Each structure stands twice: as structure tokens, then as C-alpha cells.
Amino acid sequence: MDIVLAISQLTNRIQGVIHARVFKIWQAIDTKNNNVWGMNFVLLDKEGDAIQGVMPINIYRRMEIDFVEGNICEIGRFTVEHIKNSAFRTVKHDFTLYFSGQTYVTLLAPELHDVPVCYFDFKLLEDIGTKITDEKQPFDVIGRVSNFTTIQEKLANGKPTKMQTIYMTNESGQTVEMTLWAHFVDELDIDGAYAKSNNQPIILACSSVMLKQYRGKYSLKAYAATRFYMDPGIKEIKEYLESVHCDDTAIQNSDAIVSNEGSPSNARAPNIDQIKISLGNLSMLPLDNFSTGQYLCVAQIVGVNNPFDWYYEGCPKCNGKLRQSWCVGCESKRQQPVICYKILWQVEDDTGEAEFSAIGNTAQYMIGEKASEVKDKTNLDCNELPPPLKKLIGKKYKFTVSGKLQVLYKNHRVYNILQSELIVQNELALPAITKDDEDKTSQNKNKLSAIVEDDKLSSNDSKDNTGANKTLLKKIKQEIKTPKKKIVRPNTRRRLILGGQSIEDENIKSKNDSP
């Protein structure tokens, strides 16, 4: 009979069997052709130790009935080798377990073995971006769900795909965001968890998330090995709840938010703090005030700060920006890229100016045309801004922007537009003509006609009578003439786009300024 070994005893010099729980399984993909050649997995024993393993796809097909996530199995006739490449390593064990054609898997009764359900090696949220910077090294995190957006539908690879952003906060107030796509939205089901929480804090434990960096900002992303846990009965979640003080009112329920794509989500989301603020006050806020809140600003678009760089080539799957031949967002090989908007609007109000970023579908909603269509109709050799973008300059919008800065460089702030609503300015209305005005006008016309006729008939009369008729005629003409209403126009300023930068010229007047 083979000796039952603990996972901590596994080295390349020891042979035996192990009794372990199948913690998780995910596909092993060949990055050259995107074909699934095998399965990765993590095994967990009763001592709480874990080891990562791999097997060819044909071996997995033979044992996939018993080798299922959550099952406790006896596993034998495997090989163990020292890890050569630590990239995408999800556990601390220094060895990898390999299945071969001789490996067997036997299902065990779960009540006979006290094996933990989960395995975690948590990292601190405050270490993200400082101690944690490797984008190829998965790690585990835990925190309170402080905010989450409504579920939206975005176009990915030409197909509508679910998207939702989750915000996690630790006991010190540090917040990190994680954007979920496709099936991860359903797997987490944060909306369902919130509906059942009775306004109690939701603790989210994430196993094997990846780091994502964009313009100096770090966030989390899920990939094939990522798993989510919110069950308060899990030991690690229970201990986290007991060790930190969570604000029970941190998440408040509110109505569904209408997305820029047009249709409101059926999900209900927490009330993200939405503060109405002027641009002057927005730019003066200290950075400590910025978190996951939203700010409502009414401002006028006065220019485009990237007139020659208003689009980019995006990934057809996730619309992420391609770097050389790879998409960092979904780690897929470049195929036919899609054209996506990336517009930096210069906006202003009576108190100051700001730079608002409109990316992807958010910009498409404002412009009304796809970026690829605008690019095809635009002469790229011309130094002028494309007409669909140019026509928005001068228009006033109600912007909802994210309090999480997209760019901060030498106190230069860029705010990401979440929603936009065009403010339609009514034209000057002409005064209504009443029935009394019509009768009065008719009487004046009749009186004028009579006087003109009398003036003709009395052309041979005395000069005094002629002078009296002319005086009366002049008076009636003045009554009939409608005085022009003086229109006071605001002092307009035109913004010039020079080399991607904008300047103001008080001496340049609009054509509409002439009376």
C-alpha cells in the first residue's frame, strides 16, 4: 500500500499518494495559437497546504467525472518537478505536480476527511502599486465591497458583453477597483449578494487575481484561475469581519442608473456619492478627497486637446489598447484591431477649466458615429479636427465624471466621463400675435390707405392741409412699424487648437457677433 503524503512533503525525490481537495481547475492555453492543450489545477490537503499541477487535455477527459472542483480524491502515480518559471504561479509551493497516463484519481467520501474548502495567501491592498507590481504574478486579496456599478453591455469582438466594476476597500480606507467582463459578472453576482445582505457589509475574498496598470494607475482583473468568495461562513472571511470595523451604511441602495449606451440596467446599485460641483472647485479639491465618488459638472466643450490622436487601435475582444502585437487586458494575440475613441475634451464654466476624457462607447454616445466610420471619412493628412468632433465644440453638457483620476502628472488632472447629457439651449421665441394686435394692425392699414387716397385727391389743396396730412401719415407709419428687439449677445471666446494645445484670443470674434 502506498504511503499517503502531505502536500508539504512532495518533492521530486518522493513517490506516493495524496488525499486532497480539488480547489480549482482552469484551462492551459497555448499562447501561440490560443488552443487549449491541457488543464491547470490546485490541490489542497487537510493541513491547509496547496500545490499547483497540470495535465494534458486527453488525460483530463478520462478522469473529469471525478476530478471536479470541490471533490476530495486520492491521487497516485504522478510526478513532481521543481518550478522552472514562476509566472502565473498561484500558490507558494516550490514544486509542480504533473499527471501522466499512469496517474489515477479515486473519489473519496468527503465526511472522512477534514479538508479546508479554500486556500488563500492574502496580500494587502495598500501594497498594490508599491510592493505588488508584477503583472504576471497572481495574488489573493480581501476587502469590503464599498461600491459597484450597474451591469452594462459593451461591445467586445462585435458582440454585446456584460461589464461591471467593483470597488474594494480595506480597514485603512485604501480602495482598489476591479472591472469584470463576461461570465465573471455572473460568477460573482454582486447584485444578488447585495440584495441578500440586508444592508450589512459584504466581504469579498478573491483568489488569484492579476494586476493591471494603465497610465500609472493600478487595478485588479480576473482571469481563468480567479475565484470569488463572499460566504461569511468561510474562516478567512469570518476572521476579517471580526478583526476590522465595517461601516454598515457604506452601501446604500438606489435606483438603477441609465448608462450611456441608452438602456437602463435592471440591476440595483449602491448610491455612489454624486456631488454637484463647479470646475473651479473640482480642480481645487485635495487628492485625499478623491475616491470612488462621482461628480456632476455643467460645462461647455471649448476644444480638443488631442486633435491628432483622438482614436486608438483596440483589442477586438475587450477594446483594450494593443501593445505591439498583444492585448494586455485579455492576454490574447492580436487579430484584426478595432478603432476606438480616445478624446480629451477641454471644458470650461464660469469658474475654471478642466480636461475630461471620453473613451470608447462613452465618446460614441456623444458623437453619434462609430470611430471607424469617422476615421474612414477623415483626411488624416489634414490638420483639421474631424467634423463630427468639431461640431461638439461650443455645446454645453451635463457631465458625470469619476472622482478617480485617470491621469495625474505635475498636478495635471484628467477626469474620466461616466455619463454625458447634452443641454439644449432654446432659441429666442418671437412674441405671440393676439387677436387684438391683428385688429389694430388691420385698422391702421385701412386708416393708412384712406389717408393716402385723400392725399392724392387733395394734391391741389393748400400747403397747410398737405402738411397736416403728411404729419398724420408719418405718425401712423411709426405706430405700424414694429420696433426691433435688441438682442444682447454674450462675450464669446474662440479656442484655437495648435499642435494639440489650446489658446484663447479675446480679439477673435464669432461671425454671429455682428448685428
Side-chain angles (χ1 to χ4, degrees):
M1 182 177 179
D2 293 330
I3 300 175
V4 178
L5 301 174
I7 287 179
S8 60
Q9 297 175 317
L10 293 179
T11 67
N12 53 3
R13 299 178 182 177
I14 295 179
Q15 298 289 332
V17 301
I18 58 173
H19 291 173
R21 183 187 299 276
V22 183
F23 177 38
K24 54 185 171 183
I25 310 172
W26 69 98
Q27 294 178 342
I29 300 177
D30 187 349
T31 56
K32 295 182 180 180
N33 50 29
N34 288 332
N35 292 333
V36 178
W37 67 268
M39 303 297 290
N40 293 303
F41 56 87
V42 173
L43 301 177
L44 180 63
D45 66 7
K46 63 180 180 180
E47 283 78 19
D49 295 315
I51 187 171
Q52 187 167 320
V54 65
M55 72 177 87
I57 190 65
N58 60 322
I59 295 178
Y60 174 71
R61 298 302 183 197
R62 175 168 56 86
M63 58 181 63
E64 63 180 338
I65 296 178
D66 295 330
F67 199 78
V68 178
E69 287 189 8
N71 284 355
I72 300 176
C73 304
E74 178 179 291
I75 305 170
R77 298 177 186 173
F78 50 81
T79 58
V80 180
E81 294 183 10
H82 197 277
I83 293 178
K84 298 179 182 179
N85 185 3
S86 61
F88 303 103
R89 175 181 171 186
T90 62
V91 298
K92 294 186 295 184
H93 206 292
D94 293 330
F95 290 84
T96 300
L97 192 146
Y98 292 91
F99 281 14
S100 65
Q102 297 179 349
T103 304
Y104 70 88
V105 172
T106 304
L107 186 63
L108 299 177
E111 61 272 10
L112 300 178
H113 298 269
D114 186 15
V115 182
V117 177
C118 304
Y119 169 86
F120 298 106
D121 182 20
F122 291 124
K123 305 298 181 183
L124 300 177
L125 291 182
E126 54 263 36
D127 290 341
I128 294 176
T130 54
K131 296 180 181 180
I132 306 174
T133 57
D134 189 352
E135 298 184 19
K136 292 185 178 181
Q137 182 58 56
F139 58 96
D140 307 335
V141 292
I142 187 170
R144 172 174 57 87
V145 178
S146 55
N147 278 312
F148 61 94
T149 65
T150 55
I151 298 175
Q152 302 180 28
E153 280 196 353
K154 302 284 187 177
L155 289 179
N157 200 18
K159 298 180 181 179
T161 305
K162 292 182 180 180
M163 188 274 286
Q164 187 175 35
T165 301
I166 313 296
Y167 299 91
M168 297 175 61
T169 303
N170 65 4
E171 61 272 20
S172 302
Q174 284 87 359
T175 300
V176 64
E177 69 177 54
M178 175 171 56
T179 300
L180 305 177
W181 295 86
H183 64 278
F184 288 114
V185 176
D186 297 326
E187 289 180 9
L188 179 57
D189 190 21
I190 190 65
D191 298 274
Y194 173 71
K196 300 176 183 177
S197 66
N198 195 22
N199 224 21
Q200 296 301 308
I202 299 175
I203 305 302
L204 175 62
C206 304
S207 172
S208 301
V209 293
M210 300 285 284
L211 196 64
K212 180 180 180 181
Q213 180 184 6
Y214 181 70
R215 291 188 175 182
K217 296 296 180 180
Y218 290 93
S219 60
L220 304 178
K221 68 175 182 179
Y223 79 113
T226 304
R227 300 292 184 273
F228 305 108
Y229 303 91
M230 292 180 289
D231 186 356
I234 296 176
K235 184 183 75 170
E236 289 81 1
I237 294 180
K238 184 178 180 181
E239 291 175 351
Y240 187 88
L241 268 171
E242 294 174 350
S243 63
V244 299
H245 172 70
C246 292
D247 183 7
D248 293 348
T249 62
I251 297 182
Q252 299 292 336
N253 198 10
S254 69
D255 293 334
I257 301 174
V258 178
S259 67
N260 277 341
E261 277 61 48
S263 59
S265 170
N266 293 327
R268 298 180 72 86
N271 185 17
I272 301 176
D273 296 334
Q274 190 175 82
I275 303 172
K276 188 174 182 179
I277 192 171
S278 65
L279 297 184
N281 292 334
L282 185 67
S283 62
M284 295 299 293
L285 284 177
L287 296 181
D288 294 341
N289 288 15
F290 286 92
S291 59
T292 58
Q294 297 179 359
Y295 293 86
L296 183 62
C297 309
V298 177
Q300 184 179 24
I301 297 177
V302 295
V304 177
N305 288 347
N306 59 334
F308 313 118
D309 187 27
W310 52 268
Y311 71 92
Y312 67 94
E313 291 187 349
C315 173
K317 293 184 178 180
C318 67
N319 286 346
K321 190 172 183 178
L322 294 175
R323 296 182 180 177
Q324 294 181 353
S325 60
W326 292 92
C327 174
V328 179
C330 61
E331 300 171 0
S332 62
K333 191 175 181 179
R334 176 177 179 178
Q335 299 175 4
Q336 185 66 27
V338 295
I339 304 301
C340 303
Y341 284 113
K342 183 196 65 176
I343 305 174
L344 297 178
W345 298 114
Q346 185 73 20
V347 300
E348 69 175 21
D349 62 7
D350 295 335
T351 65
E353 296 184 345
E355 189 170 338
F356 287 175
S357 172
I359 301 176
N361 290 340
T362 303
Q364 181 176 327
Y365 174 79
M366 298 179 65
I367 297 171
E369 296 184 55
K370 294 182 179 180
S372 58
E373 298 174 353
V374 176
K375 177 177 177 292
D376 292 340
K377 294 186 296 184
T378 302
N379 182 9
L380 299 180
D381 295 333
C382 180
N383 292 330
E384 293 186 0
L385 198 66
L389 278 67
K390 193 175 183 179
K391 70 179 182 181
L392 297 190
I393 297 177
K395 293 188 177 181
K396 184 177 290 187
Y397 281 83
K398 183 188 295 182
F399 294 104
T400 301
V401 298
S402 172
K404 188 173 180 65
L405 293 176
Q406 187 188 90
V407 175
L408 177 62
Y409 177 69
K410 292 183 179 180
N411 205 30
H412 177 66
R413 308 182 183 194
V414 177
Y415 308 89
N416 190 32
I417 298 175
L418 302 178
Q419 296 182 30
S420 62
E421 180 182 349
L422 177 64
I423 298 177
V424 180
Q425 298 176 345
N426 295 328
E427 297 181 358
L428 293 175
L430 296 177
I433 300 177
T434 62
K435 188 175 187 304
D436 294 337
D437 294 333
E438 292 179 351
D439 295 340
K440 185 176 180 180
T441 302
S442 177
Q443 293 175 4
N444 289 336
K445 287 183 177 180
N446 294 336
K447 189 182 295 185
L448 177 62
S449 300
I451 292 176
V452 171
E453 185 67 24
D454 293 341
D455 190 45
K456 290 180 179 180
L457 295 175
S458 58
S459 58
N460 296 324
D461 291 348
S462 64
K463 296 181 179 180
D464 293 337
N465 291 335
T466 303
N469 288 339
K470 289 183 178 181
T471 301
L472 182 59
L473 177 63
K474 182 178 181 180
K475 182 178 180 181
I476 294 177
K477 285 183 177 180
Q478 290 178 348
E479 292 179 357
I480 297 176
K481 185 177 181 181
T482 303
K484 291 184 178 180
K485 186 175 180 180
K486 185 178 181 181
I487 301 176
V488 180
R489 299 185 181 275
N491 184 20
T492 59
R493 294 180 297 176
R494 179 178 297 175
R495 180 164 296 274
L496 302 179
I497 306 300
L498 298 176
Q501 296 183 353
S502 58
I503 62 173
E504 292 177 356
D505 191 344
E506 298 287 351
N507 298 322
I508 299 178
K509 295 183 179 181
S510 173
K511 295 181 180 180
N512 296 328
D513 288 346
S514 59

